[in-house]
Amino acid sequence: MRPLWTLLKVVIGLAVAIPVAILVLAMGLGILGALVGLAVMALKLAVFALVGAGLFRLVSHLCGNRATSRSETRALEALPPPDPHYEAAMRELDRELGDVSER
């Protein structure tokens, strides 16, 4: 009778544990599948963004107005000389204040 009672307890325990284990496994795989799906979607979005940025740079390089960029560099190269009155005023202030780094 004792082995039969032990066998009955094992059968009842397995009858409860197996369906619970299947549910836990299904939920775990569902959560893992959702995370893998989100990771794949984020990777696709990143690749799409990189391709879009590359196309944008290519089109802007091919269709960009190069004359304005060249004129901007010429304008920077042809800056007027510094104002002599400003430099004289700065020298005068330096004489009045002394060396500021010593204070």
Coordinates of all heavy atoms in Angstrom, one line a residue:
M1 N 0.8 -1.2 0.0 CA 0.0 0.0 0.0 C 0.9 1.3 0.0 O 0.5 2.2 -0.6 CB -0.9 -0.1 1.2 CG -1.9 1.0 1.3 SD -3.1 0.7 0.0 CE -4.1 2.1 0.2
R2 N 2.0 1.2 0.7 CA 2.8 2.4 0.8 C 3.4 2.7 -0.6 O 3.4 3.9 -1.0 CB 4.0 2.1 1.8 CG 4.9 3.3 1.9 CD 5.8 3.1 3.0 NE 5.3 3.9 4.1 CZ 5.8 4.1 5.3 NH1 6.9 3.4 5.6 NH2 5.3 4.8 6.2
P3 N 3.9 1.8 -1.4 CA 4.4 2.2 -2.7 C 3.3 2.7 -3.6 O 3.5 3.6 -4.5 CB 5.0 0.9 -3.3 CG 5.2 0.0 -2.2 CD 4.2 0.4 -1.1
L4 N 2.1 2.2 -3.5 CA 1.0 2.7 -4.3 C 0.6 4.1 -3.9 O 0.3 4.9 -4.8 CB -0.2 1.7 -4.1 CG -1.4 2.0 -5.0 CD1 -1.0 1.7 -6.5 CD2 -2.6 1.1 -4.6
W5 N 0.7 4.4 -2.6 CA 0.4 5.8 -2.2 C 1.5 6.8 -2.7 O 1.2 7.9 -3.1 CB 0.3 5.8 -0.7 CG 0.0 7.2 -0.1 CD1 0.8 7.9 0.7 CD2 -1.1 8.0 -0.3 NE1 0.3 9.1 0.9 CE2 -0.9 9.2 0.3 CE3 -2.3 7.8 -1.0 CZ2 -1.9 10.2 0.4 CZ3 -3.3 8.8 -1.0 CH2 -3.0 10.0 -0.3
T6 N 2.7 6.3 -2.7 CA 3.8 7.2 -3.1 C 3.7 7.4 -4.6 O 3.9 8.5 -5.2 CB 5.2 6.5 -2.8 OG1 5.3 6.2 -1.5 CG2 6.4 7.3 -3.3
L7 N 3.3 6.4 -5.4 CA 3.1 6.5 -6.8 C 2.0 7.4 -7.1 O 2.1 8.2 -8.0 CB 2.8 5.1 -7.4 CG 2.7 5.1 -8.9 CD1 3.9 5.5 -9.6 CD2 2.2 3.7 -9.4
L8 N 0.9 7.4 -6.3 CA -0.2 8.3 -6.5 C 0.2 9.8 -6.3 O -0.2 10.7 -7.0 CB -1.4 7.9 -5.6 CG -2.7 8.7 -5.7 CD1 -3.3 8.5 -7.1 CD2 -3.6 8.4 -4.6
K9 N 1.0 10.0 -5.2 CA 1.5 11.4 -5.0 C 2.4 11.9 -6.1 O 2.3 13.0 -6.5 CB 2.3 11.4 -3.6 CG 1.4 11.3 -2.4 CD 2.1 11.7 -1.1 CE 3.1 10.6 -0.8 NZ 3.7 10.8 0.6
V10 N 3.2 11.0 -6.6 CA 4.1 11.4 -7.8 C 3.2 11.7 -9.0 O 3.5 12.7 -9.7 CB 5.1 10.3 -8.1 CG1 5.8 10.5 -9.4 CG2 6.1 10.2 -6.9
V11 N 2.2 10.9 -9.3 CA 1.3 11.2 -10.4 C 0.6 12.5 -10.2 O 0.5 13.3 -11.2 CB 0.4 10.0 -10.6 CG1 -0.7 10.3 -11.6 CG2 1.1 8.8 -11.1
I12 N 0.1 12.8 -9.0 CA -0.6 14.0 -8.8 C 0.3 15.2 -8.9 O 0.0 16.2 -9.5 CB -1.3 14.0 -7.4 CG1 -2.5 13.0 -7.4 CG2 -1.8 15.4 -7.0 CD1 -3.1 12.8 -6.0
G13 N 1.5 15.1 -8.4 CA 2.5 16.1 -8.5 C 2.9 16.4 -9.9 O 3.0 17.6 -10.4
L14 N 3.1 15.4 -10.7 CA 3.4 15.5 -12.1 C 2.2 16.1 -12.9 O 2.4 16.9 -13.8 CB 3.8 14.2 -12.8 CG 5.2 13.7 -12.4 CD1 5.5 12.4 -12.9 CD2 6.3 14.7 -12.8
A15 N 1.0 15.7 -12.5 CA -0.2 16.3 -13.2 C -0.3 17.8 -12.9 O -0.9 18.5 -13.8 CB -1.4 15.5 -12.7
V16 N 0.2 18.2 -11.8 CA 0.1 19.7 -11.6 C 1.4 20.4 -12.1 O 1.3 21.5 -12.7 CB 0.0 19.9 -10.0 CG1 0.2 21.4 -9.7 CG2 -1.3 19.4 -9.5
A17 N 2.5 19.8 -12.0 CA 3.8 20.4 -12.4 C 4.0 20.5 -13.9 O 4.5 21.5 -14.4 CB 5.0 19.6 -11.8
I18 N 3.5 19.5 -14.7 CA 3.7 19.5 -16.1 C 3.0 20.7 -16.8 O 3.6 21.4 -17.6 CB 3.4 18.2 -16.8 CG1 4.5 17.2 -16.3 CG2 3.4 18.2 -18.3 CD1 4.3 15.8 -16.8
P19 N 1.7 20.9 -16.5 CA 1.0 22.0 -17.2 C 1.5 23.4 -16.7 O 1.6 24.3 -17.5 CB -0.5 21.8 -16.7 CG -0.6 20.4 -16.4 CD 0.7 20.0 -15.9
V20 N 1.9 23.5 -15.5 CA 2.5 24.7 -15.0 C 3.8 25.0 -15.7 O 4.1 26.1 -16.1 CB 2.7 24.7 -13.4 CG1 3.5 25.9 -12.9 CG2 1.3 24.7 -12.8
A21 N 4.6 24.0 -15.8 CA 5.9 24.1 -16.5 C 5.7 24.5 -18.0 O 6.5 25.3 -18.5 CB 6.7 22.8 -16.4
I22 N 4.7 23.9 -18.6 CA 4.4 24.3 -20.0 C 4.0 25.8 -20.1 O 4.4 26.5 -21.0 CB 3.3 23.4 -20.6 CG1 3.9 21.9 -20.8 CG2 2.8 23.9 -21.9 CD1 2.9 20.9 -21.2
L23 N 3.2 26.2 -19.2 CA 2.8 27.6 -19.2 C 3.9 28.6 -18.9 O 4.1 29.6 -19.6 CB 1.7 27.9 -18.1 CG 0.3 27.3 -18.4 CD1 -0.6 27.5 -17.3 CD2 -0.3 28.0 -19.7
V24 N 4.8 28.2 -18.0 CA 6.0 29.0 -17.7 C 6.9 29.1 -18.9 O 7.4 30.1 -19.3 CB 6.7 28.5 -16.4 CG1 8.0 29.2 -16.3 CG2 5.8 28.8 -15.2
L25 N 7.1 27.9 -19.6 CA 8.0 27.9 -20.7 C 7.4 28.7 -21.9 O 8.1 29.4 -22.6 CB 8.1 26.4 -21.2 CG 9.0 26.2 -22.4 CD1 10.5 26.6 -22.0 CD2 9.0 24.7 -22.8
A26 N 6.1 28.6 -22.1 CA 5.4 29.4 -23.1 C 5.5 30.9 -22.9 O 5.8 31.7 -23.8 CB 4.0 29.0 -23.3
M27 N 5.3 31.3 -21.6 CA 5.5 32.7 -21.3 C 6.9 33.2 -21.5 O 7.2 34.3 -22.0 CB 5.0 33.0 -19.9 CG 3.5 32.9 -19.7 SD 2.8 33.3 -18.1 CE 4.1 33.8 -17.1
G28 N 7.9 32.4 -21.0 CA 9.3 32.7 -21.2 C 9.7 32.9 -22.7 O 10.4 33.8 -23.1
L29 N 9.2 31.9 -23.5 CA 9.5 32.0 -24.9 C 8.8 33.2 -25.6 O 9.3 33.8 -26.5 CB 9.1 30.7 -25.6 CG 10.0 29.5 -25.3 CD1 9.5 28.2 -26.0 CD2 11.4 29.7 -25.8
G30 N 7.6 33.5 -25.1 CA 6.9 34.6 -25.6 C 7.6 35.9 -25.3 O 7.8 36.8 -26.2
I31 N 8.1 36.1 -24.1 CA 8.8 37.3 -23.7 C 10.1 37.3 -24.5 O 10.5 38.4 -25.0 CB 9.0 37.3 -22.2 CG1 7.7 37.5 -21.5 CG2 10.0 38.4 -21.8 CD1 7.8 37.3 -20.0
L32 N 10.8 36.2 -24.6 CA 12.1 36.2 -25.3 C 11.9 36.5 -26.8 O 12.6 37.2 -27.4 CB 12.8 34.8 -25.2 CG 14.1 34.7 -25.9 CD1 15.1 35.6 -25.2 CD2 14.6 33.2 -25.8
G33 N 10.8 35.9 -27.4 CA 10.5 36.2 -28.8 C 10.1 37.7 -29.0 O 10.5 38.2 -30.0
A34 N 9.4 38.3 -28.1 CA 9.1 39.7 -28.2 C 10.4 40.5 -28.1 O 10.5 41.5 -28.9 CB 8.1 40.1 -27.1
L35 N 11.3 40.2 -27.3 CA 12.5 40.9 -27.2 C 13.4 40.8 -28.4 O 14.0 41.7 -28.9 CB 13.3 40.5 -25.9 CG 12.7 41.0 -24.6 CD1 13.6 40.4 -23.4 CD2 12.6 42.5 -24.5
V36 N 13.4 39.6 -29.0 CA 14.2 39.3 -30.2 C 13.5 40.1 -31.3 O 14.2 40.7 -32.2 CB 14.3 37.8 -30.5 CG1 14.8 37.6 -31.9 CG2 15.2 37.1 -29.5
G37 N 12.2 40.1 -31.4 CA 11.5 40.9 -32.4 C 11.8 42.4 -32.3 O 12.0 43.0 -33.3
L38 N 11.8 42.9 -31.1 CA 12.1 44.3 -30.9 C 13.6 44.6 -31.3 O 13.9 45.6 -31.9 CB 11.9 44.7 -29.5 CG 10.5 44.9 -29.0 CD1 10.4 45.2 -27.5 CD2 9.8 46.0 -29.8
A39 N 14.5 43.7 -31.0 CA 15.9 43.9 -31.4 C 16.0 43.9 -32.9 O 16.8 44.7 -33.5 CB 16.8 42.8 -30.8
V40 N 15.4 43.0 -33.6 CA 15.4 42.9 -35.1 C 14.8 44.2 -35.7 O 15.4 44.8 -36.6 CB 14.7 41.7 -35.6 CG1 14.5 41.7 -37.1 CG2 15.5 40.4 -35.2
M41 N 13.7 44.7 -35.1 CA 13.1 45.9 -35.6 C 14.0 47.1 -35.4 O 14.1 47.9 -36.3 CB 11.7 46.1 -35.0 CG 10.9 47.2 -35.6 SD 9.2 47.3 -35.1 CE 9.3 47.3 -33.3
A42 N 14.7 47.2 -34.3 CA 15.6 48.3 -34.0 C 16.8 48.2 -35.0 O 17.2 49.2 -35.5 CB 16.1 48.2 -32.6
L43 N 17.2 47.0 -35.3 CA 18.4 46.9 -36.2 C 17.9 47.3 -37.6 O 18.7 48.0 -38.3 CB 18.9 45.4 -36.2 CG 20.1 45.1 -37.0 CD1 21.3 45.9 -36.5 CD2 20.3 43.6 -37.1
K44 N 16.7 46.9 -38.0 CA 16.3 47.3 -39.3 C 16.1 48.8 -39.4 O 16.5 49.4 -40.4 CB 14.9 46.7 -39.6 CG 15.0 45.2 -40.0 CD 13.6 44.7 -40.3 CE 13.6 43.2 -40.6 NZ 12.2 42.7 -40.9
L45 N 15.6 49.4 -38.3 CA 15.5 50.9 -38.3 C 16.8 51.6 -38.4 O 17.0 52.6 -39.1 CB 14.7 51.3 -37.0 CG 14.4 52.8 -36.9 CD1 13.5 53.3 -38.0 CD2 13.8 53.1 -35.5
A46 N 17.8 51.0 -37.7 CA 19.2 51.6 -37.7 C 19.8 51.5 -39.1 O 20.4 52.5 -39.6 CB 20.1 50.9 -36.7
V47 N 19.6 50.4 -39.7 CA 20.1 50.2 -41.1 C 19.4 51.2 -42.1 O 20.1 51.8 -42.9 CB 20.0 48.8 -41.6 CG1 20.3 48.6 -43.0 CG2 21.0 47.9 -40.8
F48 N 18.1 51.3 -41.9 CA 17.4 52.2 -42.8 C 17.8 53.7 -42.5 O 18.0 54.4 -43.5 CB 15.9 52.1 -42.5 CG 15.0 52.9 -43.3 CD1 14.8 52.7 -44.6 CD2 14.3 54.0 -42.7 CE1 14.0 53.5 -45.4 CE2 13.5 54.9 -43.5 CZ 13.4 54.6 -44.8
A49 N 18.1 54.0 -41.3 CA 18.5 55.4 -41.0 C 19.9 55.7 -41.6 O 20.2 56.7 -42.1 CB 18.5 55.6 -39.5
L50 N 20.8 54.7 -41.5 CA 22.1 54.9 -42.0 C 22.1 55.0 -43.6 O 22.8 55.8 -44.1 CB 23.0 53.7 -41.6 CG 23.5 53.7 -40.2 CD1 24.3 52.4 -39.9 CD2 24.4 54.9 -39.9
V51 N 21.3 54.2 -44.2 CA 21.1 54.2 -45.7 C 20.5 55.6 -46.0 O 21.0 56.2 -47.0 CB 20.3 53.1 -46.2 CG1 19.9 53.3 -47.7 CG2 21.1 51.8 -46.0
G52 N 19.5 56.0 -45.3 CA 18.9 57.3 -45.6 C 19.9 58.5 -45.4 O 19.9 59.4 -46.2
A53 N 20.7 58.4 -44.3 CA 21.7 59.5 -44.1 C 22.7 59.5 -45.2 O 23.2 60.5 -45.7 CB 22.3 59.3 -42.7
G54 N 23.1 58.3 -45.6 CA 24.1 58.2 -46.7 C 23.6 58.8 -48.0 O 24.3 59.5 -48.7
L55 N 22.3 58.4 -48.3 CA 21.7 58.9 -49.5 C 21.5 60.5 -49.5 O 21.8 61.2 -50.5 CB 20.3 58.3 -49.8 CG 20.4 56.9 -50.3 CD1 19.0 56.3 -50.3 CD2 21.0 56.8 -51.6
F56 N 21.2 61.0 -48.3 CA 21.0 62.4 -48.1 C 22.4 63.1 -48.4 O 22.4 64.1 -49.1 CB 20.5 62.7 -46.8 CG 20.4 64.2 -46.5 CD1 19.4 65.0 -47.0 CD2 21.3 64.8 -45.7 CE1 19.3 66.3 -46.8 CE2 21.3 66.2 -45.4 CZ 20.2 66.9 -46.0
R57 N 23.4 62.6 -47.8 CA 24.8 63.2 -48.0 C 25.2 63.1 -49.4 O 25.8 64.0 -50.0 CB 25.8 62.5 -47.1 CG 25.6 62.8 -45.6 CD 26.7 62.2 -44.8 NE 27.9 62.9 -45.1 CZ 29.1 62.6 -44.5 NH1 29.1 61.7 -43.7 NH2 30.2 63.3 -44.9
L58 N 24.9 62.0 -50.1 CA 25.3 61.8 -51.5 C 24.5 62.8 -52.4 O 25.1 63.5 -53.2 CB 25.0 60.4 -52.0 CG 25.3 60.1 -53.4 CD1 26.8 60.2 -53.7 CD2 24.7 58.7 -53.8
V59 N 23.2 62.9 -52.2 CA 22.4 63.9 -53.0 C 22.8 65.3 -52.7 O 22.9 66.1 -53.6 CB 20.9 63.6 -52.7 CG1 20.0 64.7 -53.3 CG2 20.5 62.3 -53.3
S60 N 23.0 65.6 -51.4 CA 23.4 67.0 -51.1 C 24.8 67.3 -51.7 O 25.1 68.5 -52.0 CB 23.4 67.3 -49.6 OG 24.4 66.5 -49.0
H61 N 25.7 66.3 -51.7 CA 27.0 66.5 -52.3 C 26.9 66.7 -53.8 O 27.6 67.6 -54.4 CB 27.9 65.4 -52.0 CG 29.3 65.5 -52.5 ND1 30.2 66.4 -52.1 CD2 29.9 64.9 -53.6 CE1 31.3 66.4 -52.8 NE2 31.2 65.4 -53.7
L62 N 26.0 65.9 -54.5 CA 25.9 66.0 -55.9 C 25.1 67.2 -56.3 O 25.4 67.8 -57.4 CB 25.2 64.8 -56.4 CG 26.0 63.5 -56.4 CD1 25.1 62.3 -56.8 CD2 27.3 63.6 -57.1
C63 N 24.1 67.6 -55.6 CA 23.2 68.7 -56.0 C 23.5 70.0 -55.2 O 22.8 71.0 -55.4 CB 21.8 68.3 -55.8 SG 21.3 66.9 -56.8
G64 N 24.4 70.0 -54.3 CA 24.7 71.2 -53.5 C 25.3 72.3 -54.3 O 25.9 72.1 -55.4
N65 N 25.0 73.5 -53.9 CA 25.5 74.7 -54.5 C 26.9 75.0 -54.1 O 27.2 75.5 -53.0 CB 24.6 75.9 -54.2 CG 24.9 77.1 -55.1 OD1 25.8 77.0 -56.0 ND2 24.1 78.2 -55.0
R66 N 27.9 74.7 -54.9 CA 29.3 74.8 -54.5 C 29.8 76.2 -54.6 O 30.8 76.6 -54.0 CB 30.2 73.9 -55.4 CG 29.8 72.4 -55.2 CD 30.7 71.6 -56.0 NE 30.3 70.2 -55.8 CZ 30.6 69.2 -56.6 NH1 31.2 69.5 -57.7 NH2 30.2 68.0 -56.4
A67 N 29.1 77.1 -55.4 CA 29.6 78.5 -55.5 C 29.5 79.2 -54.2 O 30.3 80.0 -53.9 CB 28.7 79.2 -56.6
T68 N 28.4 79.0 -53.4 CA 28.3 79.7 -52.2 C 29.4 79.2 -51.2 O 29.9 80.0 -50.4 CB 26.9 79.4 -51.6 OG1 26.7 78.0 -51.4 CG2 25.8 80.0 -52.4
S69 N 29.7 77.9 -51.2 CA 30.7 77.5 -50.3 C 32.1 78.1 -50.6 O 32.9 78.4 -49.8 CB 30.8 76.0 -50.2 OG 31.2 75.5 -51.5
R70 N 32.3 78.2 -51.9 CA 33.6 78.8 -52.3 C 33.7 80.3 -52.0 O 34.7 80.8 -51.6 CB 33.8 78.6 -53.8 CG 34.1 77.2 -54.2 CD 34.3 77.0 -55.7 NE 34.5 75.6 -56.0 CZ 34.3 75.1 -57.2 NH1 34.0 76.0 -58.2 NH2 34.4 73.9 -57.5
S71 N 32.5 81.0 -52.2 CA 32.5 82.4 -51.9 C 32.7 82.6 -50.4 O 33.2 83.6 -50.0 CB 31.2 83.1 -52.4 OG 30.1 82.6 -51.7
E72 N 32.1 81.7 -49.6 CA 32.3 81.9 -48.1 C 33.7 81.7 -47.7 O 34.2 82.5 -46.9 CB 31.4 80.8 -47.4 CG 29.9 81.1 -47.5 CD 29.1 80.0 -46.9 OE1 29.7 79.0 -46.4 OE2 27.9 80.1 -47.0
T73 N 34.4 80.8 -48.3 CA 35.9 80.6 -48.0 C 36.7 81.8 -48.5 O 37.6 82.3 -47.8 CB 36.4 79.3 -48.6 OG1 36.2 79.3 -50.0 CG2 35.8 78.1 -47.9
R74 N 36.3 82.4 -49.6 CA 37.0 83.6 -50.1 C 36.7 84.8 -49.2 O 37.6 85.6 -48.9 CB 36.5 83.9 -51.5 CG 37.1 83.0 -52.6 CD 36.7 83.4 -53.9 NE 36.8 82.3 -54.9 CZ 36.1 82.1 -55.9 NH1 35.1 82.9 -56.1 NH2 36.3 81.1 -56.7
A75 N 35.5 84.9 -48.7 CA 35.1 86.0 -47.8 C 35.9 85.8 -46.5 O 36.3 86.8 -45.9 CB 33.6 86.0 -47.5
L76 N 36.1 84.6 -46.0 CA 36.9 84.4 -44.8 C 38.4 84.7 -45.0 O 39.0 85.3 -44.1 CB 36.7 83.0 -44.3 CG 35.4 82.7 -43.7 CD1 35.3 81.2 -43.3 CD2 35.1 83.5 -42.5
E77 N 38.9 84.4 -46.2 CA 40.3 84.7 -46.5 C 40.5 86.2 -46.6 O 41.6 86.7 -46.3 CB 40.7 84.0 -47.7 CG 40.7 82.5 -47.6 CD 41.0 81.8 -48.9 OE1 41.1 82.4 -49.9 OE2 41.0 80.5 -48.9
A78 N 39.6 86.9 -47.1 CA 39.7 88.3 -47.4 C 39.2 89.2 -46.3 O 38.5 90.2 -46.5 CB 39.1 88.7 -48.7
L79 N 39.5 88.9 -45.0 CA 39.0 89.7 -43.9 C 39.8 91.0 -43.9 O 41.0 91.0 -44.2 CB 39.2 88.9 -42.6 CG 38.2 87.8 -42.4 CD1 38.6 87.0 -41.1 CD2 36.8 88.3 -42.3
P80 N 39.2 92.1 -43.4 CA 39.9 93.3 -43.3 C 41.0 93.2 -42.2 O 40.9 92.4 -41.3 CB 38.9 94.3 -43.0 CG 37.8 93.6 -42.4 CD 37.8 92.2 -43.0
P81 N 42.0 94.1 -42.2 CA 43.0 94.1 -41.1 C 42.3 94.5 -39.8 O 41.3 95.2 -39.8 CB 44.0 95.1 -41.6 CG 43.3 95.9 -42.6 CD 42.3 95.1 -43.2
P82 N 42.9 94.2 -38.7 CA 42.3 94.6 -37.4 C 42.3 96.1 -37.2 O 43.2 96.8 -37.8 CB 43.2 93.9 -36.4 CG 44.2 93.1 -37.1 CD 44.1 93.3 -38.6
D83 N 41.4 96.6 -36.5 CA 41.3 98.0 -36.2 C 42.5 98.5 -35.4 O 42.7 98.0 -34.3 CB 40.0 98.3 -35.5 CG 39.7 99.8 -35.4 OD1 40.3 100.6 -36.1 OD2 38.8 100.1 -34.6
P84 N 43.2 99.5 -35.9 CA 44.4 100.0 -35.1 C 44.0 100.7 -33.8 O 44.7 100.7 -32.8 CB 45.1 100.9 -36.1 CG 44.2 101.2 -37.2 CD 43.2 100.1 -37.2
H85 N 42.8 101.3 -33.9 CA 42.3 102.1 -32.7 C 42.0 101.1 -31.6 O 42.2 101.4 -30.4 CB 41.1 102.9 -33.0 CG 41.4 104.0 -34.1 ND1 42.2 105.1 -33.8 CD2 41.0 104.1 -35.3 CE1 42.3 105.8 -34.9 NE2 41.6 105.3 -35.8
Y86 N 41.4 100.0 -31.9 CA 41.1 98.9 -30.9 C 42.3 98.4 -30.3 O 42.4 98.2 -29.1 CB 40.3 97.8 -31.6 CG 40.0 96.7 -30.7 CD1 39.0 96.8 -29.7 CD2 40.7 95.4 -30.8 CE1 38.7 95.7 -28.8 CE2 40.4 94.4 -29.9 CZ 39.4 94.5 -29.0 OH 39.2 93.5 -28.1
E87 N 43.3 98.1 -31.1 CA 44.6 97.6 -30.6 C 45.3 98.6 -29.7 O 45.9 98.3 -28.7 CB 45.5 97.2 -31.7 CG 45.0 95.9 -32.5 CD 46.0 95.5 -33.6 OE1 46.9 96.3 -33.9 OE2 45.7 94.4 -34.2
A88 N 45.2 99.9 -30.1 CA 45.8 100.9 -29.2 C 45.1 101.0 -27.9 O 45.7 101.2 -26.8 CB 45.8 102.3 -30.0
A89 N 43.8 100.9 -27.9 CA 43.0 101.0 -26.7 C 43.3 99.8 -25.8 O 43.4 99.9 -24.6 CB 41.5 101.0 -27.0
M90 N 43.5 98.6 -26.4 CA 43.9 97.4 -25.6 C 45.2 97.6 -25.0 O 45.5 97.2 -23.8 CB 43.8 96.2 -26.4 CG 42.4 95.8 -26.9 SD 41.3 95.6 -25.5 CE 41.9 94.1 -24.8
R91 N 46.2 98.1 -25.7 CA 47.5 98.4 -25.2 C 47.5 99.4 -24.0 O 48.1 99.2 -23.0 CB 48.5 98.9 -26.2 CG 49.0 97.8 -27.2 CD 50.1 98.3 -28.0 NE 49.8 99.5 -28.8 CZ 49.3 99.4 -30.1 NH1 49.1 98.2 -30.6 NH2 49.0 100.5 -30.7
E92 N 46.6 100.4 -24.2 CA 46.5 101.4 -23.1 C 45.9 100.8 -21.8 O 46.3 101.1 -20.7 CB 45.6 102.6 -23.6 CG 45.5 103.7 -22.6 CD 44.7 104.9 -23.2 OE1 44.4 104.9 -24.4 OE2 44.3 105.7 -22.4
L93 N 44.9 100.0 -22.0 CA 44.3 99.3 -20.9 C 45.3 98.4 -20.2 O 45.3 98.3 -19.0 CB 43.1 98.5 -21.3 CG 41.8 99.2 -21.4 CD1 40.7 98.3 -22.0 CD2 41.3 99.7 -20.1
D94 N 46.1 97.7 -21.0 CA 47.1 96.8 -20.4 C 48.1 97.6 -19.6 O 48.6 97.2 -18.5 CB 47.9 96.0 -21.5 CG 47.0 94.9 -22.1 OD1 46.0 94.5 -21.4 OD2 47.3 94.5 -23.2
R95 N 48.5 98.8 -20.1 CA 49.4 99.7 -19.3 C 48.8 100.1 -18.0 O 49.4 100.1 -16.9 CB 49.8 100.9 -20.1 CG 51.0 100.7 -21.0 CD 51.5 102.0 -21.5 NE 50.5 102.8 -22.1 CZ 50.2 103.0 -23.4 NH1 51.0 102.4 -24.3 NH2 49.3 103.7 -23.8
E96 N 47.5 100.5 -18.0 CA 46.8 101.0 -16.8 C 46.6 99.9 -15.8 O 46.8 100.1 -14.6 CB 45.5 101.7 -17.2 CG 45.6 103.0 -17.9 CD 44.3 103.6 -18.3 OE1 43.2 103.0 -17.9 OE2 44.3 104.6 -19.0
L97 N 46.2 98.8 -16.3 CA 45.9 97.7 -15.4 C 47.1 96.9 -14.9 O 47.0 96.2 -13.9 CB 44.8 96.7 -16.0 CG 43.5 97.3 -16.3 CD1 42.6 96.3 -17.0 CD2 42.8 97.8 -15.0
G98 N 48.1 97.0 -15.7 CA 49.3 96.1 -15.4 C 49.1 94.7 -15.9 O 48.1 94.4 -16.6
D99 N 49.9 93.8 -15.5 CA 49.8 92.4 -15.9 C 48.7 91.8 -15.0 O 48.8 91.6 -13.8 CB 51.2 91.7 -15.7 CG 51.2 90.4 -16.4 OD1 50.2 90.1 -17.2 OD2 52.2 89.6 -16.2
V100 N 47.7 91.4 -15.7 CA 46.5 90.8 -15.0 C 46.8 89.4 -14.4 O 46.3 89.0 -13.4 CB 45.3 90.7 -16.0 CG1 44.1 90.1 -15.3 CG2 45.0 92.1 -16.5
S101 N 47.7 88.7 -15.0 CA 48.0 87.3 -14.5 C 48.7 87.3 -13.2 O 48.8 86.3 -12.5 CB 48.9 86.6 -15.6 OG 50.1 87.3 -15.7
E102 N 49.3 88.5 -12.8 CA 50.0 88.5 -11.5 C 49.0 88.7 -10.3 O 49.4 88.4 -9.2 CB 51.0 89.7 -11.4 CG 52.2 89.5 -12.4 CD 53.1 90.8 -12.4 OE1 52.8 91.7 -11.6 OE2 54.1 90.8 -13.1
R103 N 47.8 89.1 -10.6 CA 46.9 89.3 -9.5 C 46.2 88.1 -9.0 O 46.0 87.1 -9.5 CB 45.8 90.3 -10.0 CG 46.3 91.7 -10.2 CD 45.2 92.6 -10.6 NE 45.8 93.9 -11.0 CZ 45.1 94.9 -11.2 NH1 43.9 94.9 -11.2 NH2 45.7 96.0 -11.6

